[in-house]
Amino acid sequence: MDEEYIDKVKGYIEQKDTENVKALLADLHPADIAELCNDLDPEDARFVYRLLDNETAADVLVEMDEDVRKEFLELLPSETIAKKFVDYMDTDDAVDLMRGLDEDKQEEVLSHIEDIEQAGDIVDLLKYDEDTAGGLMGTEMVTVNENWSMPECLKEMRMQAEQLDEIYYVYVIDDDERLQGVFPLKKMITSPSVSKVKHVMKKDPILVHVDTPIDEVVQIIEKYDLVAVPVVDSIGRLVGQITVDDVMDEVREQSERDYQLASGLSQDVETDDNLVRQTSARLPWLLIGMLGGIGNSMILGNFDATFAAHPEMALYIPLIGGTGGNVGTQSSAIIVQGLANSSLDAKDTLKQVGKEAVVASINATIISLLVYIYNFVRFGSTATVTYSVSISLFAVVMFASIFGTLVPMTLEKLKVDPAIATGPFISITNDIIGMMLYMGITVLLA
């Protein structure tokens, strides 16, 4: 879908040529139509939506960019949102849509939903924290009772399947709706018709609870290669399931958040956000960086006599600051990645610090030795800069590596997102400490 195609659609919309717009949209997947709508202004997108059948319109709205969707929904009355979109959505998608509306509009939309059961499910799901399994799950799934026979089970499965777009697993519950197992479809074919479901089901299925954090849900689905995972409440009743496509969306959003945090952005921001939001997302860490730079200048200002006696020392200020920042960022990035994929536990802090210290000592020795050789050739063996820079560089690399390890692991213990430790925070701190070490060692050796 290139610019020429989009311009053609825009041209037909301006002419109100519904037939040609319909023809262009006819063979497109809902995700492609959503991409097209992202490039249109809200009024043109509204024109496109009027030409879609209700099911396609709902699918397109789910695929749209969140900010564009929010702007688009502001143009629509609550009744239209309910009857043209929500009525044709799975509950998890409907809840995502509802979270983007203010409370008053949420209530208005809910009041226009004709299916009372669906409205009740949406209300229940909105009560859960959106960062937990309960906030991500959907209630559309196939369930069978453990006491049913094979023919009875098959009949009920057919009835339930008619209401669903996809079937991932068939869940077995007892009379109190507590999850008992998963019913393999192969067993339905190979087991005698007199068998009861409970005799052929797979017991003790992998599951999550409604308050399980999304990060853990992602890890469980990845670890056990699941396409969906059942969600139970505090007493074991089956209340929903989370599918792999929902998890992939969450993984992508989390990766984007972590990347922005590591880049020094204080909030989620997109390229098409307004100037105020873009500025407010960037300014906090820039101000902190500015204060760090002023702090560095104040430290260096106390060593005028040292620079007067050894002016060549000033040549290595960028090397000390840059190396410390790079080493700290490398160490923190490895730790954050390990914490994210559960290959590292915050309980192993001392063990990991020891490992990083060994790696840092090897790297510091190599770097310091190379700088020593360079300064030995350039300034001679008796010059203060020859050995002070190498010793300072060794100390800075050791500190930056250990600090870059400790900070994210400490933040993890404090239940704070450790991704903030991979960005400007580490660099600014290492710059300041690095300068203090550099000048302190130089004064001692001068």
Side-chain angles (χ1 to χ4, degrees):
M1 194 159 38
D2 54 20
E3 289 187 18
E4 183 180 350
Y5 183 92
I6 295 173
D7 289 338
K8 186 184 293 185
V9 174
K10 288 181 178 179
Y12 287 141
I13 292 175
E14 288 178 6
Q15 298 168 18
K16 305 299 181 184
D17 190 341
T18 58
E19 293 303 319
N20 277 315
V21 175
K22 278 185 177 181
L24 289 174
L25 299 178
D27 297 326
L28 291 183
H29 187 276
D32 294 322
I33 300 177
E35 184 180 345
L36 171 65
C37 290
N38 288 339
D39 292 325
L40 301 176
D41 62 55
E43 283 296 338
D44 288 347
R46 189 176 181 180
F47 180 88
V48 169
Y49 270 97
R50 286 178 180 147
L51 305 180
L52 303 174
D53 62 79
N54 290 338
E55 289 188 6
T56 303
D59 291 338
V60 171
L61 195 65
V62 169
E63 299 290 342
M64 279 182 72
D65 180 81
E66 189 174 338
D67 291 331
V68 177
R69 181 173 65 193
K70 184 177 181 180
E71 187 177 356
F72 172 69
L73 291 176
E74 288 176 355
L75 300 176
L76 301 178
S78 300
E79 185 175 1
T80 301
I81 295 174
K83 294 185 176 180
K84 189 171 179 64
F85 300 115
V86 177
D87 281 349
Y88 296 90
M89 288 181 175
D90 290 340
T91 50
D92 56 336
D93 294 328
V95 169
D96 286 341
L97 182 147
M98 297 289 284
R99 289 189 193 278
L101 307 176
D102 59 57
E103 289 188 10
D104 291 339
K105 194 151 190 175
Q106 282 183 11
E107 292 180 3
E108 290 177 9
V109 172
L110 288 169
S111 67
H112 290 294
I113 297 176
E114 295 180 355
D115 187 339
I116 300 300
E117 184 178 352
Q118 183 193 24
D121 288 340
I122 293 173
V123 170
D124 290 340
L125 294 181
L126 284 171
K127 295 177 182 177
Y128 295 113
D129 189 324
E130 60 182 321
D131 293 324
T132 64
L136 188 63
M137 70 182 182
T139 57
E140 291 81 8
M141 55 190 168
V142 176
T143 60
V144 296
N145 190 284
E146 63 178 350
N147 295 312
W148 288 349
S149 64
M150 290 298 130
E152 189 177 7
C153 176
L154 180 58
K155 179 182 177 182
E156 184 63 29
M157 286 170 57
R158 285 173 176 166
M159 292 175 58
Q160 294 184 38
E162 291 178 359
Q163 309 298 322
L164 304 177
D165 294 328
E166 299 285 347
I167 298 177
Y168 298 94
Y169 297 113
V170 177
Y171 300 112
V172 182
I173 58 175
D174 62 15
D175 293 334
D176 295 320
E177 298 186 353
R178 290 177 300 201
L179 180 64
Q180 299 299 309
V182 175
F183 181 53
L185 296 180
K186 181 180 177 181
K187 294 288 187 180
M188 183 180 65
I189 301 172
T190 59
S191 300
S193 60
V194 294
S195 299
K196 285 190 175 183
V197 173
K198 64 182 177 183
H199 296 143
V200 296
M201 70 181 183
K202 181 181 177 182
K203 298 180 180 180
D204 302 320
I206 305 299
L207 55 82
V208 297
H209 291 81
V210 289
D211 56 354
T212 302
I214 292 299
D215 292 344
E216 291 185 24
V217 176
V218 172
Q219 292 165 12
I220 289 171
I221 288 181
E222 182 182 16
K223 179 178 180 180
Y224 297 105
D225 293 326
L226 304 173
V227 293
V229 61
V231 183
V232 300
D233 63 14
S234 58
I235 59 175
R237 290 178 302 185
L238 179 65
V239 291
Q241 73 170 354
I242 297 175
T243 59
V244 68
D245 60 321
D246 296 325
V247 166
M248 291 304 297
D249 291 340
E250 185 62 30
V251 169
R252 176 182 56 80
E253 291 175 6
Q254 184 62 48
S255 297
E256 290 176 355
R257 285 196 295 268
D258 288 348
Y259 181 79
Q260 291 187 343
L261 280 174
S263 302
L265 297 173
S266 59
Q267 57 182 291
D268 186 26
V269 65
E270 301 290 343
T271 54
D272 56 355
D273 283 340
N274 60 47
L275 294 176
V276 174
R277 184 173 177 83
Q278 293 249 10
T279 302
S280 63
R282 303 180 189 192
L283 192 58
W285 277 112
L286 292 177
L287 291 175
I288 294 172
M290 179 197 71
L291 294 175
I294 292 174
N296 256 338
S297 67
M298 293 174 65
I299 293 171
L300 296 174
N302 292 321
F303 296 92
D304 291 342
T306 303
F307 286 118
H310 306 283
E312 65 277 8
M313 300 300 297
L315 299 175
Y316 294 92
I317 291 175
L319 174 64
I320 298 295
T323 302
N326 287 337
V327 171
T329 301
Q330 287 178 345
S331 298
S332 60
I334 292 172
I335 298 302
V336 169
Q337 182 182 21
L339 292 170
N341 60 28
S342 295
S343 62
L344 180 64
D345 195 307
K347 298 177 182 177
D348 300 327
T349 300
L350 292 178
K351 178 182 176 182
Q352 190 63 32
V353 168
K355 183 177 181 180
E356 283 293 324
V358 173
V359 174
S361 63
I362 296 172
N363 289 332
T365 300
I366 294 172
I367 295 172
S368 299
L369 185 59
L370 290 174
V371 173
Y372 176 81
I373 293 171
Y374 170 79
N375 285 333
F376 181 86
V377 173
R378 182 176 180 182
F379 298 106
S381 60
T382 58
T384 301
V385 68
T386 301
Y387 43 87
S388 67
V389 172
S390 293
I391 294 173
S392 298
L393 201 56
F394 185 93
V396 166
V397 170
M398 291 297 297
F399 170 81
S401 184
I402 293 172
F403 185 72
T405 302
L406 279 174
V407 170
M409 298 195 79
T410 302
L411 291 176
E412 177 73 9
K413 288 182 177 179
L414 297 174
K415 306 299 182 184
V416 177
D417 191 342
I420 62 174
T422 59
F425 176 72
I426 290 290
S427 298
I428 294 167
T429 305
N430 284 332
D431 278 349
I432 295 174
I433 301 299
M435 284 304 103
M436 294 174 66
L437 289 171
Y438 181 40
M439 299 315 301
I441 290 172
T442 299
V443 169
L444 289 175
L445 296 178

